[in-house]
Amino acid sequence: MVTYPTVCCIVLSALLTLLTRKSQSIKNTPVSQPQPWPKRFFPSLSHVLDFPFGDVIVLGELIEHDEILFVMYYAPWCAKSMEVRWEFEKAAKLMYEKVRFVAVNCWWSQGQCRKNNNFFSYPALYAYHTQLNGYHYNGLPVAEHMVSFVEQLMYPITPLRTSKDVLNMLATSNNVVVSFFDFNASPQPPGFLQYYYAALRVITIDHIQAIPFGIITDTSLATTFDMQTSGTVILARIQNESLTYPADYNFTASEIRKWVLTNKEKVSAKWQMPSGTKSLSLSVQLKGPTVVMFITRNPLVQLNQEFTALWELALDYFNCDNSTKVSRNIQRSVYLRWHAIEAQVEETRWCKEMRNTNKVKDSGKKCCLSVVIDDRQSQSKMHNVCDVCMISRITQRYHPCRLATQSSLSLQNMHHKPITNMCQHTVVNYNANEHITLCCSQISKNVSNFSPSKRKPTDLFTVQAGQNYKKWKCNKQTFNKLQGYSSHIRDRTRHPYKFSSFTGLGCRTNRTVSFLAMDSKYHSVFAERLGLKQLVISEPSIVLIDEKNDAFHVLKGKVDRNNLVLFIQNYTTGALQRTLLSSSPLEFSHTQESMTYVAEVTTATFQKIVMDPKKDILLLYYAPWCGFCAGFAHIYITLARYFRDVKNLAFTRINGDENDLPWEFTVTKYPTLIFFPAGRKADSVTFPDHLAKTLPNLIRFILRLGTRALKLQAALGKCSAKCISQNQKKAVQAIHSINTAINHLKQRIPRVKQHILHVQVLFNSLSRKEASVSDEGTNEQELLAGQVALLQMYMFTLKNRLWRKEIQLRNAKFVLKMLTGSSGRHLARHKLNTILTQYQTAQFRMGHRMHMSSTRDVEDKLEQKVSTSLGRDEL
């Protein structure tokens, strides 16, 4: 028979087995859901090539077909990535025919991008060039700045065809690199690629204000500028001598870049564009007095008028030797500014015409190539040159042009001569959406005599290049409007630069300033912090920051050359007044029943409110970011309610973070309380740091420093009608008692005075008998002299006591007047006995306290001594 213990053991064993199996199945069950498959971050019809699975190997394949790739590494959950996505899309839409824009999901855990990279933040923007191993773009993540940066990578070198082009380029920057390469001697002159790569590397270091690189290909033009041999590189500097790249240096891109950056001169005026991350770039530039111009910077325009004018002024300011070279460059820069305005007007005109006539249409993608027919066996002195273009009605965004292979195969092996001076059209593979245009002409075999500038206006490439250039300009103009940039031209008048005593001022003073410019569209927070609350984005504003003296100065009025020169000269001579930061006035109400409020003080209202001689002012310094200030706010409001019946006491506060005050009223920590007494503003008192800012301590602080009227009004505000009635009786009794004492003193003083005269008569009579006076007479005379001195001291004491009683009587009458005029509407919290007793015994005077020469104890001892010496009956 099975016993109970055996059954229990069997049941427990079965339960343990079930639990073990169950726990094993639970253990094998996944706790979390698998990560969902990533989705496209950009729309399906986007101009951005999106790789949501993080494929990075494809980038290497793309760079073989495209010279430049602009890549955005993103995280789908990142809010910043979502914000930059649309700016990236705008830039891609504008440049999709020129540069490929790619987006890669670098957060997908199974993707190659996540495994191979570890980005600190998202999104990360990188530019890939055939000769750049990925450059991290750290500029502003907005469309126009991305487009500007990519354009610089596309065209790092500016061709210089005439001497005017060279001089104009030299007048656009403090440092300009110019080279000469003879392409007539070789299709690819030695060193040209290294020079090209050096220009790219310099752009990646500072793309905001990059050093321009130019190239001269004409031998005669190069000779004009003393460049005799091909491969000559010159660093032209405005304020210093130009330098030639040493022949014994290695002609590599890295060495050229290093040489340029080492020998460049400091720019006269610099763009400062904080990227939005933590950095010390701005603090480094503000080491000394700095003139900062806030102006909208459109990176897609050819020339910024306001910044260029500031740069010209800075050049003149640092022209220590009054160099004619600097002066000529300034005048040429003024001409270029005026010419840029005229070009902008002309561009706006023909863009409008093209839109009205529907000429700015996307008629299809055009791939063109110039091919020289291989006719070396011919004895003719002329070449057959054909311009081949493949025109596609359907734009294929991500497929490279395949015209080169087809044209080379079809033209080099022609069995018949192409028809010259005519154009032929051929359909490709019976495709109605594509056709090839072939236009051939004859030119001389002497290639040196051929110049692109000699093409006919009806030439296919000339027409197409002009149309594409205008189309690109019009697209950029439309893009600028969509980005919020105004095309309004303020002044088309050409103003020549007038030199004056301002020339070289930076070398004649120890208060030399530097010049900076900041974009008011994206960095307006810096302008607001400097007091430019009503900053107009399209209008320039000038601030001079003096970090050493912790002050800044704002240029009032119109920003032009004359006002700016006067502004800097006044700072140099010390005549420029410091600008005080002031916020807009605010008031906040807390109790509608009692109308208790704390007045908001600003820099503009400080003198009117705080320095009012008729009022006691308690001023609280606070800052919005101060947590202790927020915790102290309710105590300060309660304190204001406590003294709500005091007419001449005002509670105020000032935002010390947004309002600048004169140095004597500036504090170093928040919160800080300062009491400004009425009539004695210079005797302001700060609440002690060692005391806690509690309500009792603050009440004692105010009562200790306040006037007599303040104390009485504060006490009466807490006294009921019954309290006032009782204290009125006590005040009447106090007045009666003081009057009795005054009458007694007025009766005693004449008697003491009469007694003094009597003693003086006795003393004089003894003095006349001086010759016959014995020793006993001499002692009596000394006794009388002592009595006279004692009585005179007693007389002074009585008069002093009478004076104090009269003041006490006046104070008591004032108390009675205050009690009689009180409405008694509030509940009693404190009796007035203490205050009345204080006024009966204290030593007050109207306006100030007087130090007494003797106390009440001394007076009592003196009176006792007089009574003992003379007898009370005699007094």
Side-chain angles (χ1 to χ4, degrees), residues 29 54 129 159 242 252 305 333 790 803:
T29 302
H129 193 277
S242 300
T252 60
Q305 295 289 325
S333 177
L790 184 62
W803 174 77

Side-chain angles (χ1 to χ4, degrees), residues 92-207:
K93 184 177 180 180
L94 179 66
M95 303 193 70
Y96 76 97
E97 291 183 344
K98 299 176 179 291
V99 177
R100 192 187 301 274
F101 283 69
V102 182
V104 180
N105 182 358
C106 215
W107 187 256
W108 173 243
S109 59
Q110 302 177 21
Q112 299 170 350
C113 182
R114 179 70 180 274
K115 296 177 181 179
N116 299 337
N117 300 283
N118 186 18
F119 293 110
F120 180 74
S121 62
Y122 293 99
L125 299 173
Y126 278 81
Y128 294 93
H129 193 277
T130 52
Q131 298 299 325
L132 288 178
N133 296 326
Y135 169 71
H136 182 208
Y137 172 74
N138 55 5
L140 294 177
V142 291
E144 63 269 26
H145 286 266
M146 296 179 193
V147 171
S148 174
F149 170 68
V150 173
E151 272 194 310
Q152 292 182 66
L153 294 182
M154 291 172 58
Y155 311 109
I157 299 177
T158 303
L160 305 173
R161 298 183 177 88
T162 64
S163 59
K164 184 178 180 180
D165 293 342
V166 178
L167 295 176
N168 289 346
M169 190 176 189
L170 296 178
T172 57
S173 177
N174 284 78
N175 305 280
V176 176
V177 182
V178 180
S179 65
F180 164 57
F181 289 95
D182 188 2
F183 282 83
N184 292 328
S186 172
Q188 183 175 312
F192 170 72
L193 284 180
Q194 296 299 323
Y195 180 74
Y196 179 86
Y197 300 151
L200 285 174
R201 293 172 185 260
V202 171
I203 290 173
T204 58
I205 293 175
D206 183 10
H207 64 273

Side-chain angles (χ1 to χ4, degrees), residues 290-311:
T290 307
V291 174
V292 182
M293 170 183 280
F294 289 94
I295 184 62
T296 302
R297 178 182 182 267
N298 186 353
L300 299 182
V301 299
Q302 179 182 0
L303 186 144
N304 188 290
Q305 295 289 325
E306 289 76 12
F307 175 75
T308 307
L310 180 69
W311 178 73

